[in-house]
Amino acid sequence: MKIRDILKQNNKGVAFEFFPPKSDKGRAALIRTIKSLKVSKPFYASMTCGAGGTTQEITQDAVSLLLEEQELEIVPHLTCLDLSPEKLKDLLDDYKSKGIDNIMALRGDPPEGISNFNFLNQDFSYAVDLVKSIKEYGHFCIGVAVYPEGHIEALSLDDDLEYAKQKIDAGADFAVSQMFFDNSHYYKLLDRMQKKGIDIPVLPGILPLTDISKVKQFASICHTTIPKHIEETMASFAGKPQEQEEAGINFTIKQCQDLIKNGVGNIHFFTLNKPRIIKTILEAI
Ligand code: FAD
């Protein structure tokens, strides 16, 4: 079923993002994770592509694993990296034949270790190019990424929003935000989108805060700020990983509660394939 139709019917729910495993041990862990999170009846489970040196084939393989869990709506991520029009058609044919109705269309990050990588030399330079081709192919409901604090390469928030609008005008049906730790950035993004006449669902992307040093590293790459009071609280538990994790989870619970209080019904969790933390958060909210 298409996510845009699911979102019309459900105004309260969760979606989970997973990353594809690279080993048999990782595959077994992913199956356990899915089984344990499936009870929350997510309205979709998405599978990343390309991050951490994985390939499209590894994503396809992980998607097949998820498909064995029948009741899940799967959303494979697709990136521009090393993608030709022929490969895109093969991928879409494969996903369509497996009963998949939704795709998350992304440009992707440059490959690790190549600082001067130029996306303009690719067949698909920006996510919008991918959206146009998937739309032309037909069948799929398309999701795209948006950035509450602006994408790291964008010259301004206005520029970034203009490019986001191009993706939506080209046919994107829904969007998922980059992680944020200060909800005001997300509310302002919704405001700015509304003023620009953009009217598609924008799910907040929530990363549970656990290990502050890892989150800080990730946040700096993603152009996400961590509020000072959170950083200080987390730092006060340095050397006490359990206490730090507990404080982080409590923060994420409050963050989700604030979203719900402000009328946000659907939340997309970046699970990092860790069910225990997600379950704790869901139970609390
Ligand atoms: P785009 O929308 O193409 O934007 C990229 C940059 O180019 C932006 O700065 C934008 O402002 C600018 N831009 C856009 N169009 C134009 C134009 N026509 N001319 C000039 N500038 C332009 N990465 C992965 O590798 N794999 C994943 O599975 C993955 N999943 C993600 C899931 C979510 C929910 C999010 C938020 C991000 C995800 N990412 C993933 C990261 C994403 O690929 C990176 O942030 C990437 O750098 C940008 O992708 P995009 O699709 O937003 O690109």
Side-chain angles (χ1 to χ4, degrees):
M1 190 169 175
K2 304 218 168 14
I3 301 300
R4 64 165 174 263
D5 297 327
I6 298 178
L7 290 173
K8 274 182 204 150
Q9 292 169 14
N10 299 295
N11 56 8
K12 273 194 199 112
V14 288
F16 298 135
E17 179 175 310
F18 302 101
F19 62 83
K22 289 196 239 172
S23 64
D24 286 345
K25 204 172 147 204
R27 285 165 64 92
L30 179 64
I31 293 171
R32 281 197 305 278
T33 299
I34 307 274
K35 283 196 191 304
S36 122
L37 287 178
K38 216 170 77 171
V39 293
S40 310
K41 299 201 183 333
F43 56 90
Y44 69 77
S46 80
M47 183 56 71
T48 67
C49 156
T54 59
T55 61
Q56 188 59 60
E57 288 71 29
I58 295 179
T59 298
Q60 274 175 287
D61 183 45
V63 163
S64 299
L65 255 189
L66 292 198
L67 282 171
E68 287 164 24
E69 296 299 319
Q70 294 294 327
E71 299 126 63
L72 280 176
E73 201 63 57
I74 315 294
V75 184
H77 291 202
L78 226 156
T79 67
C80 298
L81 214 67
D82 290 332
L83 193 68
S84 63
E86 297 74 29
K87 192 170 168 192
L88 174 64
K89 186 183 175 306
D90 287 349
L91 272 167
L92 296 179
D93 284 347
D94 178 56
Y95 285 142
K96 188 178 169 189
S97 73
K98 287 176 172 153
I100 287 171
D101 295 332
N102 305 280
I103 297 276
M104 188 79 189
L106 302 140
R107 186 198 66 178
D109 282 321
E112 265 171 6
I114 309 182
S115 55
N116 59 350
F117 186 81
N118 189 354
F119 276 94
L120 296 177
N121 295 335
Q122 299 275 300
D123 283 327
F124 300 93
S125 301
Y126 296 106
V128 66
D129 304 325
L130 212 46
V131 174
K132 282 181 192 158
S133 293
I134 300 171
K135 192 75 187 169
E136 211 175 287
Y137 179 94
H139 177 76
F140 291 98
C141 167
I142 307 168
V144 289
V146 290
Y147 299 84
E149 296 178 67
H151 183 259
I152 194 154
E153 294 162 36
L155 296 178
S156 70
L157 283 178
D158 284 347
D159 265 15
D160 204 34
L161 194 58
E162 180 51 39
Y163 292 131
K165 186 170 186 311
Q166 288 180 10
K167 295 192 273 195
I168 290 140
D169 291 345
D173 299 281
F174 71 101
V176 181
S177 87
Q178 181 57 281
M179 63 174 184
F180 54 91
F181 299 108
D182 175 346
N183 287 355
S184 70
H185 294 300
Y186 172 72
Y187 301 139
K188 282 183 204 154
L189 172 70
L190 294 186
D191 244 29
R192 288 189 288 116
M193 289 180 97
Q194 197 189 18
K195 282 189 187 126
K196 222 174 160 61
I198 301 173
D199 184 25
I200 58 165
V202 180
L203 277 76
I206 297 295
L207 178 74
L209 242 174
T210 47
D211 180 336
I212 189 68
S213 54
K214 279 197 193 132
V215 172
K216 264 172 80 173
Q217 200 184 358
F218 195 37
S220 69
I221 305 167
C222 298
H223 199 224
T224 297
T225 49
I226 303 178
K228 213 170 165 50
H229 73 275
I230 295 174
E231 211 178 320
E232 282 171 4
T233 306
M234 296 293 274
S236 71
F237 294 112
K240 298 176 188 158
Q242 211 170 328
E243 280 99 327
Q244 193 178 74
E245 183 183 288
E246 209 172 299
I249 290 175
N250 281 337
F251 168 74
T252 306
I253 291 169
K254 284 198 190 110
Q255 184 183 18
C256 294
Q257 285 169 335
D258 180 77
L259 288 170
I260 294 165
K261 203 174 78 194
N262 281 281
V264 179
N266 296 307
I267 299 179
H268 173 112
F269 284 99
F270 301 110
T271 69
L272 302 181
N273 296 8
K274 288 184 179 159
R276 181 180 57 82
I277 289 163
I278 298 293
K279 285 186 95 156
T280 309
I281 294 164
L282 292 183
E283 272 160 28
I285 63 171

